[in-house]
């Protein structure tokens, strides 16, 4: 059973517009929620995270929102740029001896 | 500081053979985790080593094994390779917590023919 679900395999957005990537999780015990970005033939790169005690975290163009009651996480990218085109993975982490569990990813394509 | 180094970058093996992949973590990082990435399956957790001990294990058959040395370098071994083992194998190092401190290597692309 999947603990982390990214239901949209792909998303296309125009440059300058907002990109919204979504993620749902099943376990309310997770401590941290993270987003990673991955280009082909490279390892994932950490983008932004949020603690379970917060509902929003911003870092430049990237904002992560956490809705604990809905067990839903989203990443907003504003404004979107062509260089943002990559696969975005949502990940969760919980407990002292936990591991990082990933969703299957959403491929974002930002067109000029 | 140097990042996470995985060797080799590419590997082609024949079905039935075995393979060993290597991962050198960031200096000072004691945790090394291994993931398998295949199309449509995302990143699936294999196992995590912390201070030479396997701390967590994913849902993979016993053909997949690993170890960690005293200098935190880790190796992953896959025996009796199957075609379905073809994937990108990623290693990540961290200090031991998960709140964003995982740094990934570029991976080893394994092709089984």
């Amino acid at each position: 059973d999947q603990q982390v679900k990214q239901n949209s395999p792909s998303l296309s957005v125009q440059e300058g517009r907002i990109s919204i990537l979504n993620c749902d999780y099943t376990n309310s015990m997770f401590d941290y929620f993270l987003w990673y970005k991955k280009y082909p033939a490279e390892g994932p790169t950490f983008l932004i995270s949020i603690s379970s005690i917060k509902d929003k975290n911003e870092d430049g163009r990237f904002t992560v929102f956490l809705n604990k009651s809905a067990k839903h996480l989203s990443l907003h990218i504003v404004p979107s740029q062509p260089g943002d085109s990559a696969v975005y993975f949502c990940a969760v982490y919980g407990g002292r001896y936990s591991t990082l569990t990933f969703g299957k990813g959403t491929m974002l394509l930002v067109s000029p | 500081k140097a990042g996470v180094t995985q060797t080799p970058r590419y590997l082609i093996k024949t079905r039935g053979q075995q393979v060993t992949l290597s991962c050198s973590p960031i200096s000072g990082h004691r945790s090394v985790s291994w993931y398998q990435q295949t199309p449509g399956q995302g990143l699936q957790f294999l196992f995590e080593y912390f201070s030479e001990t396997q701390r967590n294990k994913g849902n993979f058959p016993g053909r997949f094994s690993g170890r960690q040395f005293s200098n935190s370098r880790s190796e992953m071994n896959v025996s009796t390779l199957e075609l379905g083992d073809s994937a990108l194998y990623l290693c990540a190092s961290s200090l031991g917590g998960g709140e964003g401190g995982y740094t990934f290597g570029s991976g080893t692309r394994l092709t089984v023919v």
Side-chain angles (χ1 to χ4, degrees), chain A residues 15-101:
Chain A
E15 181 178 8
R17 300 287 188 116
I18 184 172
S19 295
I20 300 176
L21 298 112
N22 294 301
C23 177
D24 296 302
Y25 60 94
T26 56
N27 189 335
S28 58
M29 300 301 290
F30 293 127
D31 296 321
Y32 293 96
F33 303 85
L34 307 94
W35 286 95
Y36 279 76
K37 176 180 177 180
K38 187 181 183 300
Y39 294 113
E42 292 183 14
T45 303
F46 170 72
L47 199 56
I48 190 169
S49 66
I50 186 168
S51 162
S52 62
I53 62 173
K54 296 185 177 180
D55 53 22
K56 178 182 173 182
N57 187 27
E58 280 183 86
D59 185 2
R61 297 185 297 115
F62 303 91
T63 303
V64 57
F65 294 93
L66 177 63
N67 182 335
K68 289 184 285 293
S69 60
K71 296 192 180 68
H72 182 80
L73 182 71
S74 64
L75 174 68
H76 293 209
I77 306 174
V78 183
S80 301
Q81 299 173 353
D84 295 330
S85 297
V87 177
Y88 288 78
F89 290 97
C90 131
V92 297
Y93 182 89
R96 185 179 178 190
Y97 296 110
S98 180
T99 60
L100 208 54
T101 301

Side-chain angles (χ1 to χ4, degrees), chain A residues 32 34 36 38 41-46 49 89 93 96-105, chain B residues 9-10 35 37 40-43 45 48 55-56 88 90 96-100 102 104-106:
Chain A
Y32 293 96
L34 307 94
Y36 279 76
K38 187 181 183 300
E42 292 183 14
T45 303
F46 170 72
S49 66
F89 290 97
Y93 182 89
R96 185 179 178 190
Y97 296 110
S98 180
T99 60
L100 208 54
T101 301
F102 288 85
K104 293 188 177 183
Chain B
R9 284 298 307 274
Y10 303 93
Y35 290 84
Q37 187 190 12
Q41 291 301 314
L43 279 74
F45 172 72
E48 180 202 10
R55 190 161 72 169
N56 282 294
L88 179 67
L90 292 157
E99 57 272 23
Y102 280 57
F104 282 84
S106 296

Side-chain angles (χ1 to χ4, degrees), chain A residues 8-15 17-21 80 85-86 106-111:
Chain A
S8 299
S10 63
L11 175 68
S12 291
V13 171
Q14 279 195 313
E15 181 178 8
R17 300 287 188 116
I18 184 172
S19 295
I20 300 176
L21 298 112
S80 301
S85 297
T106 296
M107 180 178 292
L108 173 66
L109 177 62
V110 181
S111 53

